[in-house]
Amino acid sequence: MENRIDMKEKIAAMKPSAVWSEAGDGMFRVPATSFRSLAEKLRHEEGFDFLRSLTGMDWGEEGLGCVYHLENTSTGENVVLAAIDPDRENAGIPSVHDLWKGADFNEREAYDFFGIKFLGHPDLRRLFLRDDWKGHPLRKDYDSSLNPLNMENEETSNDAPSYEMTKDGSYILKRHPLFEDQEYVINIGPQHPATHGVLRFLVSLEGETIKKIDVHSGYIHRGIEKLCESLTYPQTLGFTDRLDYLGAMQNRHALCACIEKAMGLEVSERIQCIRTIMDELQRIDSHLLFVSCLCQDMGALTVFFFGFRDREKVLDILEQTTGGRLIQTYNTIGGVQADIHPEFVKKVKEFIKYMRPKLNEYHEVFTGNVIARQRLIGTGVLSREDAISFGATGGTGRASGWACDVRKRHPYAMYGKVDFKEIVLHNGDCFDRYMVRMLEIEQSLNIIEQLIDNIPEGEWQMKVKPVIKLPEGSWYTAVEGSRGEFGVYIESRGDKSPYRMKFRSTGLPLVSCIDTISRNAKIADLIAIGGTLDYVVPDIDR
Amino acid sequence: MMKRNVNIKSMKYEDFNDNEYIEQMLKELRDNGTNVVVGCLDDVIEWGRSNSLWPLTFATSCCGIEFMAIGAARHDFARFGFEVARSSPRQADFIMVAGTITHKMAPVLKRLYDQMADPKYVIATGGCAISGGPFKKSYHVVDGVDKIIPVDVYIPGCPPRPEAMLYGLMQLQRKVKAQRFLGGLNKGISEKEYERLMREDTNKAEDYSEYDESGLA
Ligand code: SF4
């Protein structure tokens, strides 16, 4: 809290035009014209090097804009800024892609959804929707009849548009080619077994060496954020499980926690404890699947079967309590759907005993394997600075030496009270990314072990009104999902459904850095790099 | 007169729920009658085909993970003849649409389907593929893949349990058994018709030639 007041004064001194608004978490509202210089100061002088989340907004009469969540990774300070342009038809906000690399894709997303032009962005194409899509779907005045299902094959344009502002306030549109004429470009995906879902890469090659990768996503963009705006808060819960289905528990935990924070509701220790155990079980499940898929991609099919064998054990435990294997829909606002199954504790203990020695099997078959080591060690190196700048959290960031675990940075639920190690490795290559996850499975087992015998008595569902209305304001809550920081941003106008709900994707920063880390690697390494980045495509596209 | 049935090895006939659709197919088959030689040959072919249906590896989202689970050790669909998932549509017998299909993906799915060799089948897996599921009202989701490609089997669920998927796959086997390969499925087309189709394809290819040059087809 102290920090924030300190920062508040500093920002007020830096930019007198910035207005502090108190509702919810609180944020500084800055006119678009003076946003850029404030952002530069925060980045370079105050050390805000991590752009946690960038949310496009339609504030109706007030205009269009963006909300930026910034963090200083060395001091842990947080600041929220909003840049607003009142001109709805021609909204333009200076781009910050050069200050935070992660802003690149996020700005493209905001352009896609709201039609905000980011001035100076070098490649302002749509990120998710087709190039010939009409309008911008997340604007409040969007007319959905404009875009019926179009079965024409999509043309891939080779143009990257960018907007610049002239002195008289009008824009000029410039176009640059993405690939030169003589470049050799191959297409991978969207239907390809090694892209882990429907993602598409255009890869420019020189011989076998990768020169450039252009990522095309949106093949599984389901428009969840827009759907949420027409649903009540309890109804929105159903979607989070289906975003990153290997982090179903954690995603829903984040959304519930965000709504609870806005309601001012404290949940009982029993609920916190159950949620923590479930989150960790889910993490183990996810990491096992990660190992399975990575090894399958690299031709080590045995490990795939090992992984699924052990994963089924976790699923059995989850299923007994929640009734679902993959999509559990377990957390609710103010609690959980049902109390834990009478056999839950016993089963979990059995599983811990079973899992520990099994990990050696993976190490014997894969970790020590000469071929695996040769393909993983030293390939696809992501530096610590880049990891922070892109916002590549989770195992990927920790393999690059960035201690980015939300469980440690902003402890929530029971994580402040249990003893566990944050695994941080330093090479940033594929092998470290793989090892981080293997070691994290052990830590997750440790966390569960400490909690399983001490689940406090108490309620598993607090008393909550059936119709939930949040007060006016905006809130952001993050949890450590299976593959990084999963955040939920809610802006409420006091209704029973959100005015805007945005999910900070864990995967979007991971694919946005794929171009940087794959350059000069061999085409075959792309499979290992993609596998170890560990993204889930529906979570990228939302 | 031949007697065709839809018994499959892995599950007894009585254990299946009533299925009017397959009964109807069977009835038509029996009513029309077949030459003994062709009929016997058909029996053998359908027996072989129904026991070696290979899926295309195609998954867009959550349901795809359960699809992987039926390929792994506990559920193992290879037991019933779904042996290996193929990554190329040219080598696959059926496509299991596991996951949400969005507007951007729809033409791609259609193209994949077109690339598969006849006889080919489609299974719509999960609420999303059947009707759009939880995302039915979205601006970017196709409400049911049967709007773009013909579906043979629907497997409801969100996601369907692996057992449900196996049940659905066996229904496909039964359907295959109720079909007639010779004189039915692999109807030959006349040379003229073939030429016409070829020409159509080449014309289409010319439209795309512009992209081929820059390598962006
Ligand atoms: S039916 Fe359910 S589980 Fe399957 S893809 Fe749709 S949302 Fe996911």
Side-chain angles (χ1 to χ4, degrees):
Chain A
M1 215 52 204
E2 205 129 289
N3 272 340
R4 213 167 82 183
I5 295 187
D6 188 30
M7 257 340 277
K8 228 163 110 175
E9 280 161 11
K10 267 193 198 158
I11 291 181
M14 270 184 231
K15 258 295 129 177
S17 55
V19 186
W20 171 253
S21 88
E22 186 66 56
D25 285 347
M27 61 165 80
F28 279 99
R29 312 184 122 224
V30 196
T33 39
S34 48
F35 168 69
R36 170 80 201 186
S37 56
L38 178 61
E40 270 170 21
K41 278 209 183 102
L42 287 174
R43 171 72 185 88
H44 295 305
E45 289 165 26
E46 299 296 331
F48 284 91
D49 46 359
F50 172 29
L51 176 66
R52 288 180 86 179
S53 165
L54 191 161
T55 312
M57 287 293 309
D58 179 354
W59 279 296
E61 301 270 281
E62 285 173 69
L64 302 176
C66 283
V67 177
Y68 302 78
H69 288 78
L70 301 174
E71 179 164 317
N72 180 332
T73 52
S74 36
T75 62
E77 271 177 301
N78 273 269
V79 120
V80 190
L81 299 179
I84 308 166
D85 188 343
D87 181 2
R88 285 184 66 84
E89 288 324 301
N90 257 318
I93 292 178
S95 168
V96 289
H97 75 277
D98 49 338
L99 303 178
W100 299 280
K101 290 184 181 166
D104 181 355
F105 272 39
N106 278 304
E107 286 177 351
R108 280 178 63 189
E109 176 193 310
Y111 166 70
D112 198 354
F113 288 169
F114 294 95
I116 302 169
K117 299 187 180 71
F118 289 90
L119 309 173
H121 189 291
D123 176 12
L124 204 59
R125 278 172 299 157
R126 286 182 180 269
L127 183 62
F128 295 134
L129 301 170
R130 291 170 64 125
D131 283 335
D132 51 9
W133 190 269
K134 294 188 198 75
H136 301 278
L138 263 82
R139 289 172 74 130
K140 298 283 176 186
D141 52 10
Y142 172 70
D143 174 9
S144 62
S145 62
L146 284 178
N147 293 291
L149 178 60
N150 180 356
M151 289 303 288
E152 288 284 304
N153 287 319
E154 191 189 359
E155 288 180 11
T156 307
S157 92
N158 194 26
D159 275 338
S162 71
Y163 291 90
E164 271 162 41
M165 182 122 81
T166 55
K167 286 225 171 56
D168 62 354
S170 59
Y171 302 116
I172 31 175
L173 169 67
K174 290 192 177 162
R175 290 184 176 279
H176 333 267
L178 279 173
F179 297 105
E180 301 298 334
D181 277 351
Q182 63 278 22
E183 265 179 284
Y184 183 73
V185 183
I186 62 162
N187 178 62
I188 303 178
Q191 152 63 20
H192 189 278
T195 52
H196 291 206
V198 280
L199 195 61
R200 176 173 170 220
F201 299 126
L202 289 183
V203 188
S204 151
L205 290 176
E206 200 174 288
E208 273 189 72
T209 312
I210 298 171
K211 286 289 146 212
K212 181 176 177 183
I213 297 185
D214 184 31
V215 180
H216 287 245
S217 50
Y219 289 95
I220 184 72
H221 170 61
R222 296 144 153 178
I224 290 180
E225 289 170 7
K226 179 83 174 182
L227 284 174
C228 286
E229 289 171 12
S230 57
L231 297 175
T232 63
Y233 287 103
Q235 286 174 326
T236 57
L237 296 180
F239 292 134
T240 39
D241 286 42
R242 290 158 175 94
L243 280 170
D244 171 0
Y245 31 80
L246 298 170
M249 286 286 185
Q250 297 118 340
N251 292 0
R252 204 158 147 124
H253 187 166
L255 180 55
C256 290
C258 192
I259 297 173
E260 284 156 14
K261 176 162 122 187
M263 290 164 67
L265 178 74
E266 279 273 334
V267 296
S268 74
E269 270 220 346
R270 183 179 181 82
I271 299 171
Q272 300 282 28
C273 192
I274 297 176
R275 283 183 179 172
T276 312
I277 296 175
M278 289 297 183
D279 282 5
E280 291 313 309
L281 284 173
Q282 181 87 73
R283 198 179 317 280
I284 295 173
D285 160 36
S286 166
H287 286 353
L288 285 174
L289 193 99
F290 156 79
V291 181
S292 312
C293 292
L294 171 70
C295 298
Q296 186 196 22
D297 287 349
M298 299 192 28
L301 209 55
T302 319
V303 187
F304 174 80
F305 290 115
F306 284 1
F308 267 78
R309 174 195 63 191
D310 297 341
R311 191 178 162 256
E312 290 284 342
K313 301 243 186 264
V314 186
L315 295 186
D316 281 349
I317 297 174
L318 291 177
E319 191 184 349
Q320 217 172 23
T321 292
T322 68
R325 276 166 55 85
L326 184 69
I327 292 193
Q328 291 104 359
T329 52
Y330 186 54
N331 287 319
T332 57
I333 298 169
V336 290
Q337 201 76 258
D339 203 2
I340 48 173
H341 191 270
E343 281 189 357
F344 181 76
V345 175
K346 188 178 127 237
K347 287 266 169 79
V348 170
K349 282 192 198 156
E350 275 171 17
F351 172 72
I352 296 175
K353 223 192 267 150
Y354 164 86
M355 194 63 221
R356 283 238 162 82
K358 282 283 184 254
L359 283 174
N360 290 335
E361 241 173 56
Y362 294 86
H363 292 311
E364 269 165 30
V365 175
F366 192 74
T367 318
N369 185 307
V370 185
I371 302 172
R373 291 181 82 89
Q374 294 225 335
R375 285 195 64 183
L376 294 178
I377 294 178
T379 27
V381 179
L382 176 67
S383 70
R384 183 170 183 276
E385 288 70 47
D386 274 350
I388 296 175
S389 186
F390 277 113
T393 50
T396 305
R398 290 193 284 279
S400 301
W402 176 25
C404 56
D405 199 324
V406 186
R407 296 174 293 176
K408 291 279 187 198
R409 266 168 45 218
H410 306 277
Y412 56 95
M414 298 299 277
Y415 290 112
K417 297 180 190 135
V418 289
D419 174 37
F420 70 101
K421 234 174 64 207
E422 179 174 1
I423 309 288
V424 179
L425 302 176
H426 294 279
N427 294 327
D429 57 1
C430 288
F431 187 71
D432 275 8
R433 285 197 283 273
Y434 159 75
M435 273 320 272
V436 161
R437 273 132 190 151
M438 290 308 283
L439 296 172
E440 273 183 9
I441 296 181
E442 284 171 34
Q443 294 302 323
S444 293
L445 291 171
N446 288 349
I447 296 175
I448 299 173
E449 207 161 40
Q450 291 169 45
L451 291 175
I452 194 71
D453 275 328
N454 307 312
I455 304 178
E457 292 298 316
E459 289 174 281
W460 44 267
Q461 170 69 53
M462 316 295 286
K463 291 231 158 25
V464 181
K465 278 197 237 126
V467 177
I468 294 166
K469 282 190 179 172
L470 296 191
E472 258 179 60
S474 58
W475 295 268
Y476 178 80
T477 305
V479 300
E480 181 68 17
S482 298
R483 38 188 61 66
E485 171 169 341
F486 180 81
V488 176
Y489 175 80
I490 298 179
E491 180 152 337
S492 159
R493 297 239 158 144
D495 294 329
K496 55 184 193 309
S497 32
Y499 184 74
R500 170 91 166 98
M501 191 179 262
K502 142 108 184 179
F503 301 107
R504 183 214 190 258
S505 155
T506 52
L508 190 63
L510 300 178
V511 288
S512 66
C513 67
I514 205 165
D515 178 35
T516 309
I517 63 179
S518 311
R519 286 198 182 187
N520 296 325
K522 296 277 182 277
I523 181 85
D525 292 337
L526 184 61
I527 306 306
I529 293 171
T532 53
L533 283 177
D534 189 22
Y535 47 76
V536 162
V537 186
D539 165 58
I540 300 169
D541 290 357
R542 284 162 283 143
Chain B
M1 218 23 224
M2 53 160 299
K3 270 219 209 83
R4 286 287 285 277
N5 59 47
V6 290
N7 288 340
I8 59 168
K9 205 174 91 209
S10 358
M11 194 157 142
K12 282 201 225 86
Y13 183 83
E14 307 83 67
D15 289 345
F16 281 98
N17 289 336
D18 289 346
N19 191 328
E20 279 172 32
Y21 172 69
I22 286 186
E23 296 301 336
Q24 180 65 29
M25 281 181 75
L26 211 56
K27 188 165 165 293
E28 270 169 30
L29 205 66
R30 289 195 180 128
D31 287 352
N32 291 347
T34 331
N35 174 310
V36 178
V37 180
V38 177
C40 288
L41 213 55
D42 240 3
D43 260 356
V44 177
I45 293 173
E46 299 308 1
W47 168 80
R49 265 180 0 105
S50 69
N51 284 313
S52 64
L53 287 163
W54 287 0
L56 173 74
T57 345
F58 178 82
T60 65
S61 47
C62 348
C63 282
I65 302 290
E66 290 296 64
F67 177 55
M68 281 165 75
I70 58 171
R74 184 189 283 183
H75 301 285
D76 190 14
F77 63 1
R79 290 179 294 163
F80 310 113
F82 301 97
E83 206 49 51
V84 278
R86 298 275 84 182
S87 300
S88 161
R90 303 274 188 221
Q91 302 163 344
D93 296 304
F94 69 96
I95 178 167
M96 196 140 161
V97 185
T100 325
I101 298 301
T102 61
H103 284 204
K104 193 164 172 174
M105 193 65 195
V108 183
L109 174 64
K110 179 81 177 42
R111 192 144 150 199
L112 279 170
Y113 177 76
D114 289 343
Q115 282 174 343
M116 284 165 64
D118 265 326
K120 54 192 168 185
Y121 304 91
V122 176
I123 299 184
T125 312
C128 286
I130 295 174
S131 68
F135 314 104
K136 192 174 171 60
K137 287 200 186 128
S138 166
Y139 55 87
H140 201 237
V141 170
V142 178
D143 49 353
V145 284
D146 48 8
K147 306 252 168 20
I148 39 181
I149 50 178
V151 175
D152 297 279
V153 180
Y154 295 88
I155 310 178
C158 184
R161 298 185 55 83
E163 292 85 345
M165 288 195 179
L166 291 175
Y167 182 79
L169 288 167
M170 286 179 198
Q171 294 283 19
L172 180 63
Q173 289 185 319
R174 299 211 305 165
K175 174 165 182 179
V176 170
K177 279 217 150 179
Q179 283 180 322
R180 193 195 304 235
F181 189 73
L182 298 174
L185 281 177
N186 76 335
K187 250 188 258 125
I189 51 171
S190 70
E191 220 162 280
K192 265 208 187 117
E193 177 69 6
Y194 180 76
E195 254 172 36
R196 194 184 61 78
L197 286 173
M198 280 296 277
R199 219 171 304 123
E200 236 181 61
D201 272 0
T202 355
N203 286 346
K204 257 192 218 154
E206 268 161 22
D207 288 346
Y208 294 120
S209 55
E210 209 183 300
Y211 307 103
D212 282 337
E213 269 164 32
S214 61
L216 286 174

